[in-house]
Amino acid sequence: MTPDIAMVLFILAVSVVFLITEWIPMEVTALLVLGAVALTGLVNPVEALSGFSNPAVVTVWAVFILSGGLMRTGVANLIGHFVLRLAGKSETTMIVVIMTTAGVMSALMNNVAVAALMLPVVMDIARHTGSPPSRLLMPLAYGSLLGGLTTQIGTPPNILVSEALRDAELKSFSFFDFTPVGLVIMITGIAFMALVGRHLLPQRDVAKESSKGKEGDWKTQYDLQERLFHVRIPRKSILVNKTLVTSRMGSVLGWNVIGITRKDRTILAPGPADTLQVGDRLTVEGRIENLKELKSWRQLVIEEDEIDIEAPYTDDIKIGEVLLPVNSRFISKTLNSIGFRGRFGANVLAIRRNGTIKRTNLQDEMLEHGDKLLIAGHQDHLEEFKTLSGFDKFRYVPRSELTDVYHLHERLMVMRVLQESELIGKTLKESRLGDALGSRVLGILRGDDPILMPEPSEVLQAGDRLVVEGRLSDFEILQGLEELEIERRTRPDMDTLVSGKVGLVEAILSPHTTLVGKTLRQLNFREKYGLSVLAMWRGGKAYQSNLRDMDLRFGDALLLLGLRDKLQLLGREPDFIVLTETAQEEPRLEKIKISTLIMGMVLFPVIMGWVPIYIAAVVGAAFMVLSGCLTMEEAYRHIEWKAVFLIAGMLPLGTALDQTGAAKMIAEGVVTFVGPYGPRAVMFGMVALTFLATCFVPTAALVVLMAPIVLNTSTNMGLSPYAFMMAIAMASSASFTTPISHPANILVMGPGGYRFMDYLKVGGLLTLVILAVLMVALPVLWPLTP
């Protein structure tokens, strides 16, 4: 083994570990691999960057745009609706029709896009036929994956193996070379799911329990009924004439007020600005036990002695003011969405706007141009505001201005944690003191060791003196919440809360979302969209508490309650898919003939062999935008950039494996170990390894790594490279075994209520069936010997 081979194998091993664990984003791993093979001299700089101009990479992103054009003009919708009308009410028929429809569309479109497009349609079919979504959504995902096997542009691995053959100076696969094998596998997969797989799908009784209405299916899945109760506003309550947002029921207690009954009238899905009146009966979703937590806040002792305005600060901690100019990138954003404290290392104490000062509930305040932010932090952090883009006119604020203009001294107080307090041992975040008081804890005076600008993870101790900005009147709100009257005699029924104007639906993050990793609090979700998030389904489990601070993940399903016109507005947001067809954005039907013509003009010269697929796809993508089928912004959104960077970054590693002789060495090992058992045994080993690797490694990266090994193995044994490359393409795209194997699997996980074991049980058996069929059919259609 040469030093170069040892180095490339080390880089390969490290990259596979990072791809499996995702300790860092996969595309970042790919870029680091690109840099590693270049810096170690395994490939030259031009070869290291060649992945970005590789025809396979170009084809992949161009096909994403073509697929987006077909989606936005409604071509896929028309096909889906026409075929799905034939589904009827038989579960077997529905599975066959859904998988066939998804498969046919995936032959020409990105399979994740097909799954996302058909999700709302299939959810509506499930509701209308009384079938649990769990019986239909996994077949939808698997159908979209199976259909991608049938053409050259159906899935990135097919494009990559074609280009790998061309790079090896062999004849590349044509557009329909994948069709015979792909169709056999697709038909096998559909037959398996219709005859065997459907019996392994999770079966729930939610449909039987929701016979009162279409939208009751979620009561059991999300355990909603157990979290519904009534509370009444008593006479002389401080909450009377307060709005829902100022009552802080959501921030302090984690409650969703989903109905207000006032005399003979009921207000469903009330907004944050609706006011409370004496005797109002509130229908609430949440935990009654949260009311007990108010007692722990009332155990805090407020010290009456006046505190020095600069007591929480030292010589190193300063207070300054900074302006948001007209062109600031932070305008129309909130401090939460910016992540101001973590990003800039400073606390915002107040916002000065048009002569008025705002000092509470700042985190969810929408920033405007001309706002002056009063900030506190370490001097070195504040100095950076002098040069930070998005800010202007930073200056330090003198003590006199803090009292005369900002009046901080009027709201600064100290609260002491008693020895018997239930807050002891809790972090600041867990205590939710900031939510309760509408402000931050500015400092903790703990003996001779004050903690300035404490982190949310700081644990409270007995005797801590908390410096907060607030007023005694803030505690009156807490007292008003504590005095709410719980009605225990009757429990509300979710069915009564859904009407012609109010809907209860699920929504998921779209494949093109930019919101992964953000929280509902950062998005200002309730105020921005006017909808209540009642629960979240993630990884086979329902979550109902602390939803505002949970990072959103791809595959999460949010249960939303709100006015139907608000739900339709959310359906037009590119970051979300509302799982009912009536809430979807209207397609550009007037462009449907143009997009179909463009796709035909892309495919025809490719099929005839006149133009390479990558040239035709790029020209077609350009015409999709020029003709108005897509806007440029939509085109960018439809490109799966993670796949593009992953492929472009990993291709140089494939080149290094080939040029250093590492691929040849691995191939010789394969021949020595499996070769004596014959060509079929070698192919079985390669295919089985690929199937197994799809559970952990992204399919595109897997093909890039396997291609040089497969080509060298076939050369060493004197076998046809085409049969082996076709086998690898089929195996790498058949990602059924786990939800993380493919984004299409994750997409349906939340709406279907699936657990990890559901994929392992159904997808694992389907993988074994396809492996068997592939071993029989492939040598017939693509002989192993030249």
Side-chain angles (χ1 to χ4, degrees):
M1 182 185 295
T2 65
D4 282 351
I5 291 178
M7 178 61 69
V8 76
L9 290 178
F10 174 75
I11 294 173
L12 172 63
V14 172
S15 64
V16 169
V17 169
F18 278 111
L19 289 172
I20 291 173
T21 59
E22 291 192 56
W23 289 333
I24 58 176
M26 290 186 291
E27 55 271 38
V28 176
T29 296
L31 294 178
L32 290 174
V33 167
L34 182 155
V37 294
L39 292 173
T40 53
L42 298 174
V43 298
N44 63 50
V46 174
E47 290 173 327
L49 296 175
S50 63
F52 289 98
S53 61
N54 187 282
V57 176
V58 173
T59 306
V60 166
W61 65 251
V63 168
F64 283 140
I65 295 177
L66 291 170
S67 173
L70 295 178
M71 282 184 63
R72 285 298 292 119
T73 56
V75 174
N77 294 62
L78 289 180
I79 297 172
H81 289 153
F82 175 76
V83 179
L84 290 174
R85 277 199 293 265
L86 307 174
K89 293 188 176 182
S90 165
E91 184 176 85
T92 303
T93 306
M94 284 192 290
I95 287 175
V96 170
V97 171
I98 288 170
M99 293 187 72
T100 302
T101 305
V104 170
M105 289 195 290
S106 292
L108 300 178
M109 295 175 59
N110 172 251
N111 37 33
V112 181
V114 169
L117 180 73
M118 290 188 63
L119 245 177
V121 181
V122 174
M123 289 293 289
D124 282 344
I125 289 175
R127 294 188 191 109
H128 293 152
T129 59
S131 299
S134 61
R135 308 291 293 175
L136 303 177
L137 293 184
M138 193 178 290
L140 167 63
Y142 288 172
S144 68
L145 295 179
L146 290 167
L149 304 176
T150 57
T151 64
Q152 186 181 16
I153 64 171
T155 182
N158 290 4
I159 298 171
L160 288 167
V161 296
S162 300
E163 188 57 33
L165 288 171
R166 183 181 289 108
D167 288 343
E169 299 182 354
L170 297 169
K171 181 183 177 183
S172 178
F173 288 129
S174 66
F175 190 85
F176 287 119
D177 278 346
F178 298 89
T179 305
V181 181
L183 274 179
V184 170
I185 294 176
M186 179 178 162
I187 293 169
T188 300
I190 294 173
F192 169 83
M193 290 301 296
L195 300 175
V196 179
R198 70 185 183 90
H199 298 294
L200 303 175
L201 291 169
Q203 176 69 55
R204 299 187 180 89
D205 295 326
V206 290
K208 297 177 182 177
E209 296 169 9
S210 61
S211 57
K212 294 180 181 179
K214 296 175 186 176
E215 293 171 306
D217 298 38
W218 301 292
K219 288 192 296 185
T220 301
Q221 179 175 340
Y222 287 101
D223 299 324
L224 282 186
Q225 198 61 48
E226 298 302 315
R227 294 173 55 85
L228 293 178
F229 56 93
H230 288 133
V231 299
R232 193 174 291 276
I233 306 294
R235 292 182 179 277
K236 299 182 181 180
S237 173
I238 189 65
L239 300 180
V240 173
N241 294 325
K242 293 283 194 298
T243 64
L244 282 176
V245 69
T246 55
S247 75
R248 298 212 286 272
M249 288 188 197
S251 58
V252 175
L253 298 174
W255 289 358
N256 281 309
V257 178
I258 56 182
I260 301 176
T261 301
R262 183 173 298 157
K263 296 180 180 179
D264 298 328
R265 186 168 69 95
T266 298
I267 304 171
L268 296 177
D274 283 321
T275 57
L276 301 172
Q277 301 296 330
V278 174
D280 280 353
R281 187 192 197 202
L282 312 182
T283 302
V284 176
E285 184 271 336
R287 294 176 64 243
I288 296 178
E289 295 79 9
N290 287 356
L291 204 56
K292 297 178 181 177
E293 293 184 8
L294 287 180
K295 296 179 180 178
S296 63
W297 290 323
R298 291 177 65 79
Q299 291 171 357
L300 292 166
V301 174
I302 300 173
E303 299 184 355
E304 296 183 0
D305 295 338
E306 187 172 321
I307 183 172
D308 186 345
I309 195 168
E310 294 183 350
Y313 308 106
T314 63
D315 292 339
D316 191 38
I317 302 291
K318 300 294 183 182
I319 300 177
E321 182 187 79
V322 68
L323 173 73
L324 291 185
V326 176
N327 61 346
S328 174
R329 54 200 165 107
F330 304 116
I331 291 172
S332 298
K333 295 183 178 180
T334 67
L335 297 176
N336 255 324
S337 64
I338 296 170
F340 196 94
R341 165 69 187 270
R343 190 168 178 178
F344 303 115
N347 274 332
V348 178
L349 305 181
I351 298 176
R352 187 177 177 184
R353 178 182 297 161
N354 299 326
T356 62
I357 307 295
K358 185 173 178 63
R359 294 178 294 239
T360 58
N361 300 314
L362 301 180
Q363 294 301 309
D364 298 323
E365 182 73 18
M366 201 76 74
L367 298 177
E368 300 177 5
H369 73 83
D371 282 351
K372 294 181 178 179
L373 310 183
L374 186 70
I375 55 179
H378 288 275
Q379 186 169 358
D380 53 348
H381 287 152
L382 294 193
E383 284 291 324
E384 294 176 2
F385 281 91
K386 294 180 179 179
T387 56
L388 280 172
S389 65
F391 300 105
D392 196 12
K393 298 182 179 178
F394 171 80
R395 67 185 181 90
Y396 290 104
V397 178
R399 178 190 178 104
S400 59
E401 190 172 336
L402 295 177
T403 56
D404 298 341
V405 178
Y406 284 99
H407 303 287
L408 288 188
H409 65 292
E410 297 175 2
R411 301 180 59 89
L412 209 60
M413 58 185 182
V414 174
M415 305 168 67
R416 184 156 42 87
V417 181
L418 297 178
Q419 293 287 342
E420 65 274 12
S421 175
E422 295 178 10
L423 292 175
I424 295 173
K426 288 186 177 181
T427 64
L428 281 175
K429 183 176 181 179
E430 291 169 344
S431 73
R432 301 217 307 273
L433 282 170
D435 287 332
L437 299 172
S439 65
R440 277 186 180 274
V441 176
L442 304 180
I444 300 178
L445 306 179
R446 182 179 293 163
D448 297 328
D449 186 24
I451 301 172
L452 309 171
M453 297 176 58
E455 296 292 337
S457 58
E458 184 66 37
V459 178
L460 296 173
Q461 299 180 13
D464 280 350
R465 300 168 68 224
L466 312 180
V467 181
V468 299
E469 187 184 9
R471 292 179 300 194
L472 290 176
S473 58
D474 293 331
F475 282 84
E476 294 177 354
I477 294 291
L478 302 184
Q479 182 178 356
L481 293 175
E482 193 174 359
E483 293 172 350
L484 287 172
E485 299 172 355
I486 307 292
E487 295 189 358
R488 301 181 183 274
R489 291 175 297 175
T490 60
R491 277 191 178 271
D493 187 347
M494 180 60 76
D495 293 324
T496 64
L497 301 173
V498 178
S499 66
K501 293 184 178 180
V502 177
L504 181 70
V505 300
E506 285 176 301
I508 60 174
L509 296 181
S510 77
H512 319 297
T513 186
T514 58
L515 305 182
V516 171
K518 295 185 178 180
T519 66
L520 295 173
R521 184 196 294 267
Q522 289 175 327
L523 298 178
N524 215 19
F525 189 90
R526 175 74 186 269
E527 290 73 20
K528 183 176 181 180
Y529 299 109
L531 300 168
S532 296
V533 181
L534 303 185
M536 178 189 294
W537 186 268
R538 171 182 291 174
K541 182 180 177 182
Y543 295 85
Q544 301 95 353
S545 303
N546 302 319
L547 300 180
R548 287 166 32 120
D549 296 312
M550 290 178 66
D551 292 341
L552 294 176
R553 300 177 188 171
F554 186 60
D556 288 344
L558 306 178
L559 185 63
L560 306 174
L561 179 76
L563 299 174
R564 294 189 187 275
D565 57 349
K566 298 286 187 183
L567 292 169
Q568 290 178 346
L569 287 175
L570 185 69
R572 298 189 184 102
E573 290 284 328
D575 287 303
F576 294 96
I577 299 174
V578 179
L579 300 184
T580 178
E581 195 180 2
T582 56
Q584 300 308 301
E585 184 177 9
E586 288 293 322
R588 299 187 180 102
L589 294 176
E590 72 278 5
K591 301 286 187 180
I592 192 169
K593 293 182 179 178
I594 297 176
S595 66
T596 306
L597 180 63
I598 291 172
M599 197 67 189
M601 292 176 65
V602 168
L603 297 179
F604 182 73
V606 172
I607 294 169
M608 298 301 294
W610 299 340
V611 179
I613 180 66
Y614 47 91
I615 298 297
V618 168
V619 174
F623 274 102
M624 280 290 187
V625 176
L626 284 174
S627 62
C629 297
L630 279 177
T631 65
M632 200 63 230
E633 182 181 352
E634 289 170 338
Y636 282 129
R637 270 189 173 268
H638 278 91
I639 297 174
E640 198 174 317
W641 291 106
K642 180 177 289 189
V644 172
F645 279 95
L646 183 64
I647 297 169
M650 295 300 290
L651 278 171
L653 181 56
T655 303
L657 283 170
D658 189 36
Q659 291 184 354
T660 59
K664 184 177 181 181
M665 186 186 76
I666 296 172
E668 289 172 350
V670 171
V671 172
T672 302
F673 184 71
V674 189
Y677 299 100
R680 285 179 180 267
V682 174
M683 188 176 79
F684 177 83
M686 292 287 189
V687 171
L689 176 62
T690 305
F691 270 129
L692 181 63
T694 59
C695 299
F696 314 105
V697 181
T699 56
L702 181 60
V703 171
V704 170
L705 298 177
M706 290 294 293
I709 297 172
V710 169
L711 288 171
N712 276 276
T713 300
S714 59
T715 300
N716 288 351
M717 294 189 67
L719 301 174
S720 168
Y722 299 103
F724 282 83
M725 292 296 274
M726 182 64 68
I728 294 304
M730 295 293 116
S732 61
S733 296
S735 313
F736 309 116
T737 313
T738 68
I740 61 173
S741 297
H742 198 278
N745 294 341
I746 301 177
L747 192 70
V748 301
M749 190 176 188
Y754 297 120
R755 295 176 172 83
F756 190 92
M757 284 303 299
D758 295 325
Y759 289 91
L760 200 59
K761 183 169 55 177
V762 181
L765 190 54
L766 175 59
T767 299
L768 293 177
V769 170
I770 289 178
L771 174 60
V773 171
L774 197 59
M775 292 303 301
V776 173
L778 193 62
V780 176
L781 298 170
W782 291 90
L784 299 182
T785 54

